[in-house]
Amino acid sequence: MDSYSIGYANIALIKYWGKKSKDPVLPYNPNLSLRLDKLYTKTKIEKSESGQDEFYINDERQGADELKKIITFVNKFTPENREKIKIISYNTVPTAAGLSSSSSGTMALVLACNEYFRLEKSTEDLVKIAKEGSGSSCRSFYKMASWLEDGSVHEIKCDLDLAMMVLVVNEGRKKISSRKAMEDCVQTSSSYADWVKQARQDYKAILDALAKNDFTKIGKLTESNALAMHSTTKYANPPFSFLEEDSYLAMDIVKSLRSKGLEAYFTMDAGPNVKVLYLKENQKKIYEEILKVWKKKIILCTE
Ligand code: 2P0
């Protein structure tokens, strides 16, 4: 069988940052995301010829740790006496660079298993399964989605044509996983309680702004929510940061666009790369302006 299953990346406008429960995975605060259809993972599963489970990303065989992680997850929802498999994935998203490769990868893997093992699960069930692999991946099943504290996932309607590009600061694998980082923040960050309170308010406010098609408010909330999330890492013990010098340069560039009348806002995840949120109709102008001052790679996430 030669058909690949596709899973998409999503970027949170209101972040998921901390688990209230691990089994099932429940977020501490409601969060909301935009799916980036040009950033995806495609995955297919074949029978393993070696008699062992195997896992490849972009033709590179993954080591024992990565294999163990993925197989532990696969074993949770596939037949107990299944045959050994070869998981073949291709990422258009740089892997583990805070570009949501875990959400696209997990979605693609769950869909590929559903197909290969003929599990015949509903989308709702697949969403639930995906969440146990990577919390944020449950949001990738919808163009805009929210994931609430009770574990439910909802499609959110949005009339605005929202788009994103990524100013790539560093494509390398992050030094600390999101999972470990958020756990450290929950347990040690002195600003964690404030974060949860703020994020709950931000979530309500963004729903209101989305209903009113108020892009300015959506953008401002996106920025301030990202900064609040990153501030929890500064107050963790020991403190740490995902951001690098060029992340701050990218943020300044986005701010300077606004002073030129081009509405754009930034957000960052568990890595140094800066995502820019704007209305699709302004993409060309924004791209041209950024090109003048940003010398590193830019990924346009919408056509
Ligand atoms: C998000 N992130 O809302 C937040 C913002 C990163 C920063 O969800 O532990 O791979 O597997 O549930 O989903 C990335 O974390 O974490 C993430 P687990 P996940 O997009």
Side-chain angles (χ1 to χ4, degrees), residues 15 39 41 80 140-141 150 152 173 189 192 198-199 221 234 258 286 288 294:
K15 308 295 184 192
L39 297 191
T41 302
E80 245 173 62
S140 287
F141 288 77
D150 65 4
S152 58
R173 275 179 181 264
S189 177
Y192 192 75
Q198 185 62 49
L221 284 162
K234 277 191 246 165
R258 296 207 289 270
I286 288 174
E288 282 168 4
W294 181 253

Side-chain angles (χ1 to χ4, degrees), residues 287-300:
Y287 184 63
E288 282 168 4
E289 278 304 312
I290 290 180
L291 266 188
K292 288 181 194 165
V293 280
W294 181 253
K295 300 303 167 202
K296 291 184 166 177
K297 185 167 159 184
I298 301 173
I299 305 173
L300 288 174

Side-chain angles (χ1 to χ4, degrees), residues 139-299:
R139 299 184 313 226
S140 287
F141 288 77
Y142 305 102
K143 181 73 197 162
M144 185 168 260
S146 67
W147 177 26
L148 307 185
E149 289 156 80
D150 65 4
S152 58
V153 179
H154 303 268
E155 183 172 15
I156 302 288
K157 295 283 174 212
C158 174
D159 294 333
L160 298 170
D161 202 359
L162 299 177
M164 274 192 184
M165 65 178 83
V166 184
L167 305 193
V168 179
V169 170
N170 190 337
E171 285 188 273
R173 275 179 181 264
K174 54 199 170 202
K175 289 174 215 90
I176 173 167
S177 71
S178 323
R179 185 160 295 191
K180 166 97 172 66
M182 65 175 84
E183 206 169 309
D184 287 355
C185 287
V186 171
Q187 301 203 342
T188 71
S189 177
S190 57
S191 72
Y192 192 75
D194 290 341
W195 151 258
V196 173
K197 203 169 149 208
Q198 185 62 49
R200 286 175 180 158
Q201 285 173 13
D202 289 349
Y203 177 74
K204 280 193 194 141
I206 208 163
L207 284 186
D208 183 59
L210 282 163
K212 291 178 179 148
N213 291 330
D214 184 345
F215 180 63
T216 303
K217 197 162 167 207
I218 294 166
K220 284 184 176 168
L221 284 162
T222 297
E223 259 188 30
S224 62
N225 185 266
L227 291 173
M229 183 202 104
H230 284 271
S231 142
T232 64
T233 71
K234 277 191 246 165
Y235 295 101
N237 185 8
F240 63 97
S241 176
F242 290 111
L243 306 178
E244 296 176 11
E245 210 175 310
D246 279 347
S247 315
Y248 293 95
L249 172 67
M251 287 184 244
D252 283 343
I253 290 173
V254 174
K255 279 194 218 161
S256 76
L257 290 174
R258 296 207 289 270
S259 64
K260 290 179 192 148
L262 282 173
E263 236 189 326
Y265 299 89
F266 58 74
T267 184
M268 294 79 60
D269 294 280
N273 302 306
V274 174
K275 292 98 187 179
V276 188
L277 175 72
Y278 50 89
L279 291 171
K280 177 78 185 298
E281 67 208 41
N282 295 327
Q283 175 158 293
K284 192 167 175 287
K285 278 192 221 149
I286 288 174
Y287 184 63
E288 282 168 4
E289 278 304 312
I290 290 180
L291 266 188
K292 288 181 194 165
V293 280
W294 181 253
K295 300 303 167 202
K296 291 184 166 177
K297 185 167 159 184
I298 301 173
I299 305 173

Side-chain angles (χ1 to χ4, degrees), residues 10-17 19 25 31-33 98 100 102-103 106 130-137 139 147 174 177-180 182 229-230 242 268-271:
N10 75 76
I11 296 297
L13 307 186
I14 304 301
K15 308 295 184 192
Y16 147 52
W17 194 239
K19 294 174 181 63
V25 178
N31 47 89
L32 180 142
S33 64
S100 195
S102 75
S103 57
T106 305
K131 206 174 1 178
E132 303 304 316
S134 143
S136 59
S137 69
R139 299 184 313 226
W147 177 26
K174 54 199 170 202
S177 71
S178 323
R179 185 160 295 191
K180 166 97 172 66
M182 65 175 84
M229 183 202 104
H230 284 271
F242 290 111
M268 294 79 60
D269 294 280

Side-chain angles (χ1 to χ4, degrees), residues 13-158:
L13 307 186
I14 304 301
K15 308 295 184 192
Y16 147 52
W17 194 239
K19 294 174 181 63
K20 195 162 62 179
S21 145
K22 282 187 189 165
D23 188 16
V25 178
L26 295 175
Y28 252 114
N29 62 278
N31 47 89
L32 180 142
S33 64
L34 179 67
R35 188 168 74 188
L36 304 179
D37 291 355
K38 274 181 78 178
L39 297 191
Y40 61 86
T41 302
K42 61 176 194 174
T43 295
K44 73 173 171 178
I45 294 177
E46 291 176 352
K47 184 177 187 296
S48 166
E49 300 298 336
S50 67
Q52 288 176 344
D53 289 320
E54 295 173 30
F55 176 31
Y56 291 80
I57 300 178
N58 299 345
D59 296 323
E60 210 175 289
R61 188 162 179 175
Q62 302 296 296
D65 289 353
E66 289 304 312
L67 180 69
K68 189 175 167 209
K69 213 161 53 184
I70 202 165
I71 292 300
T72 306
F73 173 54
V74 164
N75 287 346
K76 285 185 185 171
F77 64 97
T78 53
E80 245 173 62
N81 54 350
R82 66 168 177 80
E83 63 190 16
K84 299 291 181 191
I85 53 172
K86 182 174 176 185
I87 301 167
I88 303 166
S89 282
Y90 292 93
N91 262 339
T92 64
V93 192
T95 308
L99 284 173
S100 195
S101 62
S102 75
S103 57
S104 61
T106 305
M107 179 182 174
L109 176 66
V110 168
L111 292 174
C113 286
N114 190 48
E115 179 123 350
Y116 185 78
F117 294 106
R118 299 195 169 86
L119 303 177
E120 294 180 6
K121 303 270 188 200
S122 64
T123 303
E124 231 172 48
D125 284 341
L126 295 172
V127 168
K128 268 191 206 150
I129 292 168
K131 206 174 1 178
E132 303 304 316
S134 143
S136 59
S137 69
C138 66
R139 299 184 313 226
S140 287
F141 288 77
Y142 305 102
K143 181 73 197 162
M144 185 168 260
S146 67
W147 177 26
L148 307 185
E149 289 156 80
D150 65 4
S152 58
V153 179
H154 303 268
E155 183 172 15
I156 302 288
K157 295 283 174 212
C158 174

